[in-house]
Amino acid sequence: MPTQKIKRNYRKAKYVLYKETLVDFKEHFWAFIGGFTGIGIIAYLQYNMFPKQDYVLLIGSFGASCVLVYGVIQSPLAQPRNLIGGHVISAIVGVTACKLFPDVIWLASAVAVAMSIVMMQITKTLHPPGGATALIAVTGSPAIIKLGYWYVLSPVLSGAMILLIVALVFNNMTSNRQYPTNKKFTKFKNRISNRIKLN
C-alpha cells in the first residue's frame, strides 16, 4: 500500500512540475522575439544612441519583467498596470529610501524593498521585478544614485514603456495570445475589430 501511494504522489508531482509547465514551440518563439526586441531596443538606446556615462536606460529588473510580460502573459503580475505601476512606485520608494538613509545602505535597501512590496500591494500593482527596481535605486552605480527622482522617469518609466509597447505588439501577433488579459480590453479590442470588419 505505501508503495502505491508513493507512485501516485510521484505521478502527481511529475504532472504538476513537468506537464503543467510545458509550453509549446510557438510560445517559446514569441517569448524569445518579445524578450529579444524589448531588451534589444533598450540596450541599443543605452549603448549606441547615447554616451555610456551620460545616460542610463538599462537596469537589471527589466530582465525579470521580460520573463513575465513575454513568457507568462496570462499572469496578473504581468499586466500593463502591474508592469508600469510596479516599476514606477518601486522606483519612487527606492529613491526616497536612498535620500532618507544615504549613509546606511543596509537600512535603505531593506526599507526600499519592504516598502515597495507594501506600496505595490496597496495600489494593486504587484510586479516582482519592482523590488529589484527599488533596490537598484539604493545600491546602483553612482550614475543611477546621482539621478535622484529622475531615475523614476528614466530609466524606469521610459524602459517599462518600451517593454509594454513591445509586449502589446508581439503578444497580440497571433490569435492564441492576448495581452493584456483583462475583460475590458478584450471587449474594446473586439469592438474595434468589428468596426474594421464592417468598413
Side-chain angles (χ1 to χ4, degrees):
M1 190 70 160
T3 307
Q4 287 179 334
K5 189 173 184 179
I6 291 170
K7 286 181 180 178
R8 186 171 55 241
N9 288 337
Y10 171 75
R11 282 195 310 271
K12 286 179 186 176
K14 185 177 174 185
Y15 181 81
V16 169
L17 297 175
Y18 180 70
K19 299 274 187 189
E20 282 293 305
T21 58
L22 282 181
V23 179
D24 68 5
F25 172 76
K26 292 176 192 170
E27 289 293 315
H28 296 306
F29 174 78
W30 289 112
F32 174 83
I33 293 295
F36 180 87
T37 305
I39 291 295
I41 290 170
I42 297 170
Y44 178 81
L45 292 173
Q46 168 77 38
Y47 294 108
N48 291 325
M49 295 291 287
F50 305 106
K52 291 178 191 173
Q53 66 274 16
D54 293 343
Y55 209 71
V56 179
L57 262 181
L58 191 62
I59 55 173
S61 56
F62 289 157
S65 289
C66 285
V67 173
L68 287 169
V69 298
Y70 307 120
V72 283
I73 65 174
Q74 305 296 326
S75 170
L77 304 176
Q79 301 312 302
R81 173 189 174 99
N82 299 69
L83 172 66
I84 302 298
H87 276 299
V88 169
I89 288 167
S90 297
I92 293 168
V93 169
V95 173
T96 304
C98 186
K99 289 191 175 298
L100 288 173
F101 310 105
D103 299 325
V104 192
I105 292 177
W106 72 266
L107 181 59
S109 300
V111 167
V113 173
M115 277 307 296
S116 70
I117 294 168
V118 171
M119 293 306 293
M120 286 188 289
Q121 287 174 327
I122 290 169
T123 58
K124 297 181 180 173
T125 58
L126 197 61
H127 186 66
T133 298
L135 188 59
I136 290 166
V138 174
T139 63
S141 68
I144 287 180
I145 292 171
K146 185 180 172 185
L147 288 172
Y149 285 103
W150 286 108
Y151 170 76
V152 177
L153 296 178
S154 181
V156 175
L157 179 60
S158 59
M161 289 301 295
I162 290 169
L163 296 180
L164 176 60
I165 290 166
V166 171
L168 290 171
V169 171
F170 288 105
N171 288 344
N172 291 302
M173 293 285 268
T174 67
S175 58
N176 303 10
R177 294 166 63 91
Q178 180 185 329
Y179 180 82
T181 58
N182 65 23
K183 293 176 184 174
K184 288 180 183 177
F185 179 78
T186 305
K187 287 179 184 177
F188 174 73
K189 186 176 164 185
N190 291 340
R191 206 173 330 136
I192 297 296
S193 298
N194 290 338
R195 284 185 184 171
I196 292 170
K197 287 176 187 175
L198 291 174
N199 293 333

